[in-house]
Amino acid sequence: MSEDNMSNIISSCCASCGIAEVDDIKLKECTDCDLVRYCSDDCQQEHRPKHEQLCKERAAELRDEILFRQNESSHHGDCPICCLPLPINGEQPMLSTCCSKMICDGCEYANFLRQCEENLYLQQTCLFCRQPPPKTDEEADKNYTKRIAANDPVAMRQIGNMRYRDGKYDSAFEYWSKAAQLDDAMAHFDLSLLYEKGEGVEEDEKKKMYHLEEAAIAGHPDARCNLGCYE
């Protein structure tokens, strides 16, 4: 029997009790690897001592596969107008506080030409949500507060940046942690620096590496560079 056929048989049976996936019996994969499947939580717990070492090795392999995968977009995401990846290096487009979106320079320039042709250049509005730009820092802060209430990770990260610049590391950690939970790559990178320097938190090598890897997986170039230096 070939290895592929043997693998198919194994994957169609519970790794603990051996029951096959038929009719109303549904198997679920191990929560950490893709090597085995189980018919119940009890079977998974019973089989854990036999599977634990192999599971850890495979989980590490899967983690590396994700870590070294080339991202289709940048860690900044895509321009919401033309849907092209935003630039990784160089001067970044300005962030709109009203909607937490960054518009690429090409779309900004195209909109500027349209406004000139239609004599609309005096009516400045956000290219994405059409809201007028804030006139004061207080208005910008109110926009961020609204975006945070809407669970926007970009706004959370921006407020975290402000708190960090003011030396309020505990508050920065709180905002960056919330943004990181929503998969914000730059928040993960910022958290890795906090754990490295011990600012607002205790120095923790394991947590630093975790956040660096999460940022690298999302395509953050500095995180990937730092991981390469550690290697």
Side-chain angles (χ1 to χ4, degrees):
M1 183 178 294
S2 67
E3 292 185 4
D4 290 340
N5 290 336
M6 180 62 72
S7 178
N8 290 334
I9 292 175
I10 293 175
S11 63
S12 63
C13 299
C14 175
S16 180
C17 66
I19 192 170
E21 184 176 38
V22 293
D23 298 332
D24 59 340
I25 299 176
K26 301 298 181 182
L27 303 181
K28 60 179 182 179
E29 285 188 351
C30 172
T31 53
D32 296 320
C33 73
D34 57 358
L35 296 177
V36 294
R37 303 170 73 193
Y38 300 101
C39 64
S40 67
D41 292 337
D42 290 339
C43 276
Q44 184 171 3
Q45 290 295 330
E46 183 179 344
H47 190 250
R48 183 179 297 277
K50 300 178 181 178
H51 175 58
E52 187 171 11
Q53 184 59 37
L54 189 60
C55 181
K56 287 182 179 179
E57 294 175 0
R58 180 55 181 162
E61 291 177 359
L62 292 174
R63 179 76 172 176
D64 285 343
E65 288 179 10
I66 297 173
L67 186 58
F68 291 103
R69 185 180 301 160
Q70 182 65 39
N71 292 75
E72 295 182 358
S73 184
S74 77
H75 64 293
H76 292 294
D78 299 335
C79 170
I81 304 300
C82 65
C83 298
L84 293 176
L86 291 166
I88 295 177
N89 299 317
E91 184 176 350
Q92 297 299 328
M94 184 176 296
L95 179 69
S96 300
T97 63
C98 48
C99 56
S100 298
K101 300 295 184 184
M102 287 195 296
I103 311 298
C104 73
D105 290 342
C107 287
E108 288 281 7
Y109 183 65
N111 183 60
F112 171 75
L113 294 180
R114 180 188 65 82
Q115 289 178 325
C116 291
E117 291 176 358
E118 300 177 9
N119 295 323
L120 298 174
Y121 49 87
L122 294 179
Q123 302 176 12
Q124 293 186 0
T125 59
C126 171
L127 185 53
F128 182 77
C129 67
R130 302 301 181 184
Q131 294 296 317
K135 298 179 181 179
T136 63
D137 291 341
E138 288 74 16
E139 288 185 10
D141 290 341
K142 287 181 180 179
N143 286 342
Y144 281 134
T145 301
K146 291 180 181 178
R147 296 307 307 165
I148 290 174
N151 226 26
D152 188 325
V154 177
M156 294 175 187
R157 170 170 42 82
Q158 288 297 112
I159 294 296
N161 293 346
M162 296 178 189
R163 298 291 186 270
Y164 183 83
R165 287 194 293 267
D166 292 338
K168 300 177 181 178
Y169 302 134
D170 292 341
S171 181
F173 172 76
E174 181 180 350
Y175 280 105
W176 286 343
S177 295
K178 292 179 180 178
Q181 289 174 3
L182 296 171
D183 298 327
D184 186 89
M186 286 183 279
H188 276 297
F189 181 74
D190 292 334
L191 285 172
S192 74
L193 298 180
L194 288 186
Y195 282 113
E196 180 179 21
K197 300 175 182 178
E199 296 176 332
V201 294
E202 292 184 4
E203 293 184 19
D204 192 313
E205 184 71 14
K206 185 176 181 180
K207 290 182 179 179
K208 180 191 77 172
M209 295 302 293
Y210 166 76
H211 287 292
L212 264 184
E213 288 184 358
E214 288 297 311
I217 287 171
H220 197 293
D222 291 337
R224 293 195 167 196
C225 177
N226 288 358
L227 284 176
C229 292
Y230 292 135
E231 289 293 329

